Amino acid sequence: MTATIPTAAPDATPVETVRTEDSRTYAAALERSAVLDALIEEHATEDPARFRMLTGDRPTGPLHIGHFLASLRNRVRLQDKGVETFVVIADYQVITDRDSVGEMGVNVRGLVLDYLAAGLDPGRTTIFTHSAVPALNQLMLPFLSLVTDAELRRNPTVKDELALSDGRPLSGLLLTYPVHQAADILFCHSRIVPVGRDQLPHLEQTRAIAHRFNSRYAAGQSVFAEPEALLSDVPLLLGTDGTKMSKSKGNVINLRDTADETAARIRAARTDSERRITYDPSARPAVANLLTIAGLFFEESPESLAERVGDGGARALKALVTEAVNESLAGHRARRADLARDPAYVTSVLHDGNTRANEVAERTLATVRAVMGMSY
């Protein structure tokens, strides 16, 4: 599942070269992802460990429809195909770029509620918190010895956060964020990692760490497999203000929102002044984004939905989007409300998941210590 990436044309400018190489790298990753998805379809039920998956979220606030469309639905799909699934609630990673932990307990429980309401089954999926698995975090020390300062500073997430910091010093925790993610992925020997295009560099860093550990400390033994990316086919969604969807901007529709709150958020969404609704992502990004959201929920093409709205204008478009979101999430919200009435069950799901994750992490750490000659 590899592809040869040709070099850029000799007369290409440096920027054009980077963009060309990035596009070709992404195309190769898409090709590998499609092959991987086909293998999962064919073999996951008979050999779930072969496709063990690690995914997760930072508990910085409630999950929104972007999470639902791009990741939650896919996690449930893969679980139901037989993929052995680990979902990390990365609570330690909240403080990589924040001064406080915020409402950590509320946020963690909110994530668990949405996971369960979406269809994740704690009997088949291990849901755990980062901070509750000490052995996982001990893997950070040998892993840090396998990366350079320059590599970490080139990571897109680190670079973006530093650019947005307004001169704030780069914390050691944020600088080593890619290594945290590598430890999350490798402690459970995850073989596949669902990612978006912007997260591919993180996975490449993880693959490099796995390879270097095997080579440097394990005399070439395959202690850690190099995980593969499973790319999402959901496009980048914009928030209600027409910019990137983000919890910190408040431009999202939360899964926990009521139907009325959802309708209000969509009514306030940005569109444009043209009455005829068409799907044109380049010229009409805000309108196209609403059509895309409705299409993903209705499982219809945005072009066909644009035809349906026609000359109805922004009001009819927003009514359609509201219908799509509220009808599609009605069951999720009802299940979430039922689960919220049983906090002891939610706590037990976390405790059981933490216990399972600790068992796996302790075995992995014992193996790491053994191959490094540190089993005293």
Side-chain angles (χ1 to χ4, degrees):
M1 299 197 302
T2 59
T4 301
I5 303 173
T7 58
D11 58 347
T13 67
V15 172
E16 289 169 342
T17 301
V18 169
R19 288 174 178 167
T20 300
E21 290 297 328
D22 178 67
S23 296
R24 289 170 175 165
T25 301
Y26 181 60
L30 276 175
E31 183 179 343
R32 291 195 297 269
S33 179
V35 172
L36 182 58
D37 210 12
L39 289 171
I40 289 169
E41 184 75 34
E42 185 175 357
H43 299 294
T45 301
E46 65 195 47
D47 190 6
R50 176 183 175 187
F51 302 101
R52 180 178 286 183
M53 175 179 76
L54 184 285
T55 183
D57 304 281
R58 292 203 306 167
T60 54
L63 296 183
H64 52 69
I65 61 170
H67 296 114
F68 183 83
L69 294 169
S71 60
L72 273 184
R73 292 199 305 189
N74 195 42
R75 294 175 193 177
V76 175
R77 178 184 73 89
L78 292 168
Q79 169 199 262
D80 292 347
K81 286 183 180 296
V83 171
E84 187 178 1
T85 304
F86 283 71
V87 179
V88 58
I89 300 176
D91 49 357
Y92 271 158
Q93 292 179 6
V94 169
I95 53 173
T96 55
D97 57 353
R98 295 167 189 248
D99 292 325
S100 68
V101 297
E103 297 183 327
M104 182 71 76
V106 172
N107 291 338
V108 167
R109 286 174 176 78
L111 261 60
V112 177
L113 286 173
D114 279 320
Y115 293 160
L116 299 175
L120 288 180
D121 176 2
R124 294 178 289 167
T125 291
T126 302
I127 301 170
F128 68 99
T129 51
H130 198 164
S131 62
V133 189
L136 183 167
N137 296 300
Q138 286 213 35
L139 292 175
M140 282 280 291
L141 291 175
F143 287 178
L144 280 169
S145 74
L146 299 168
V147 298
T148 67
D149 173 81
E151 283 179 307
L152 294 174
R153 291 179 184 276
R154 283 197 301 268
N155 183 275
T157 298
V158 174
K159 289 170 65 177
D160 290 347
E161 290 294 337
L162 185 58
L164 295 171
S165 67
D166 294 324
R168 176 178 173 174
L170 178 68
S171 74
L173 198 57
L174 178 55
L175 180 63
T176 56
Y177 180 65
V179 187
H180 299 186
Q181 291 200 322
D184 293 341
I185 294 166
L186 296 177
F187 97 94
C188 64
H189 300 280
S190 175
R191 304 301 295 270
I192 63 173
V193 184
V195 294
R197 181 173 184 167
D198 60 337
Q199 296 167 313
L200 282 173
H202 283 287
L203 190 58
E204 286 305 312
Q205 183 70 77
T206 298
R207 289 170 58 84
I209 287 172
H211 177 79
R212 291 169 189 173
F213 184 93
N214 294 339
S215 176
R216 184 180 302 181
Y217 296 131
Q221 300 177 63
S222 183
V223 175
F224 295 110
E226 297 178 30
E228 292 279 355
L230 192 64
L231 286 161
S232 170
D233 59 0
V234 174
L236 180 65
L237 298 175
L238 303 178
T240 53
D241 61 354
T243 66
K244 183 179 178 181
M245 193 177 288
S246 168
K247 286 181 284 188
S248 62
K249 292 182 179 180
N251 62 356
V252 299
I253 300 166
N254 296 315
L255 297 182
R256 71 182 187 186
D257 288 347
T258 66
D260 287 343
E261 289 170 338
T262 296
R265 290 181 187 272
I266 294 172
R267 281 196 300 270
R270 179 176 297 175
T271 53
D272 58 34
S273 59
E274 292 186 42
R275 183 164 186 81
R276 177 76 182 176
I277 297 301
T278 58
Y279 180 69
D280 188 344
S282 297
R284 308 181 70 185
V287 170
N289 184 62
L290 290 176
L291 288 167
T292 298
I293 290 171
L296 289 168
F297 277 113
F298 277 147
E299 298 185 352
E300 293 184 39
S301 72
E303 292 87 352
S304 67
L305 293 177
E307 286 294 320
R308 189 193 304 183
V309 177
D311 292 324
R315 183 173 180 178
L317 171 60
K318 292 178 180 181
L320 180 71
V321 178
T322 300
E323 177 188 352
V325 176
N326 280 336
E327 285 189 3
S328 300
L329 291 181
H332 179 99
R333 288 165 171 168
R335 289 188 294 273
R336 193 184 196 280
D338 286 341
L339 289 162
R341 286 189 280 270
D342 190 358
Y345 174 66
V346 174
T347 299
S348 73
V349 168
L350 266 182
H351 284 175
D352 291 347
N354 288 341
T355 298
R356 164 69 174 146
N358 270 290
E359 292 170 354
V360 173
E362 289 287 353
R363 287 198 298 270
T364 300
L365 185 59
T367 299
V368 165
R369 286 171 171 164
V371 300
M372 296 181 73
M374 295 180 177
S375 297
Y376 310 122

